Amino acid sequence: RRAVREVPLDRLLVESDKDLGVQTREEESPGTGLIDQVLDHICSLRGMEKEVLIQAVHDNYMRLFSS
């Protein structure tokens, strides 16, 4: 929790340990709900809007993995 609060927003990426290719009977789509929960939890810890976090994570991903 401390790391989530202290890591600069321009360095933050989000993942889950769930295999997004595996779908259980209870899930409508594989993995999407877990990422959404992770985003909600980060937003609550950082006191920020979800749209701001999503945009920051997207920008960070593009900066890291784009050539």
Side-chain angles (χ1 to χ4, degrees):
R1 292 178 184 171
R2 187 174 131 214
V4 169
R5 285 189 212 103
E6 293 180 5
V7 169
L9 190 56
D10 67 341
R11 299 288 190 250
L12 192 63
L13 294 173
V14 177
E15 69 156 356
S16 78
D17 290 334
K18 180 165 175 49
D19 179 355
L20 297 179
V22 175
Q23 187 171 354
T24 63
R25 287 181 222 139
E26 298 84 29
E27 296 174 316
E28 292 180 14
S29 62
T32 56
L34 188 57
I35 289 293
D36 209 40
Q37 290 175 15
V38 170
L39 291 169
D40 288 340
H41 189 69
I42 291 170
C43 286
S44 99
L45 289 173
R46 293 183 71 110
M48 63 187 307
E49 295 294 321
K50 192 172 189 178
E51 294 76 21
V52 174
L53 177 60
I54 290 170
Q55 185 63 54
V57 168
H58 175 266
D59 293 347
N60 296 344
Y61 178 89
M62 294 305 291
R63 192 173 51 252
L64 182 62
F65 294 108
S66 293
S67 37

